[in-house]
Amino acid sequence: QVQLVESGGGLVQAGGSLRLSCAASGRPFSSYAMGWFRQAPGKEREFVAAISGGGSITNYADSVKGRATISRDNAKNTVYLQMNSLKPEDTAVYYCAADQRYGRPAGHPSMYDYWGQGTQVTVSL
């Protein structure tokens, strides 16, 4: 079993930056790929970014490419999502997820086995 706890969300003005963190407990952290997803009210959960277990392979949604950076510190069992140049349309609950089956930084929620409770990000004009 893996427990995931997100933090770092909040209210930020458009153009600002935010760094989200996701702390994991459970089996060796480096053994699973990690992803970030988000869900806005009335919308489906959508992929944001993902990273392989070792951190060498990353994957980004087109909507955040160039503005987001996913990284991980396996010694701290933590994955990060740095978001820059934030826009109002980035407003959503952000979730981190862990994949222990495929080991690839996949972009579909069905590829992930464990989810955190989410952290709210609100971007104002």
Side-chain angles (χ1 to χ4, degrees):
Q1 194 74 5
V2 175
Q3 291 80 42
L4 304 172
V5 179
E6 302 97 334
S7 61
L11 175 64
V12 63
Q13 285 190 324
S17 298
L18 215 57
R19 188 175 83 155
L20 306 181
S21 300
C22 174
S25 61
R27 61 181 288 173
F29 184 61
S30 61
S31 67
Y32 39 83
M34 297 294 294
W36 284 97
F37 292 78
R38 65 188 182 187
Q39 188 166 19
K43 295 189 177 181
E44 292 188 353
R45 191 166 297 191
E46 68 170 356
F47 171 68
V48 177
I51 189 167
S52 60
S56 61
I57 304 171
T58 57
N59 185 17
Y60 294 94
D62 288 343
S63 59
V64 302
K65 205 168 287 184
R67 300 189 297 121
T69 302
I70 187 170
S71 61
R72 64 191 296 160
D73 186 337
N74 286 344
K76 295 182 178 180
N77 285 9
T78 303
V79 63
Y80 305 96
L81 180 68
Q82 176 72 41
M83 293 281 292
N84 301 322
S85 302
L86 283 161
K87 306 174 183 180
E89 50 263 45
D90 293 317
T91 295
V93 177
Y94 284 69
Y95 299 90
C96 71
D99 153 42
Q100 65 175 3
R101 291 174 287 161
Y102 303 102
R104 292 173 287 150
H108 197 281
S110 65
M111 304 288 280
Y112 292 83
D113 305 291
Y114 302 100
W115 293 83
Q117 83 289 347
T119 186
Q120 176 71 46
V121 172
T122 303
V123 183
S124 63
L125 288 169

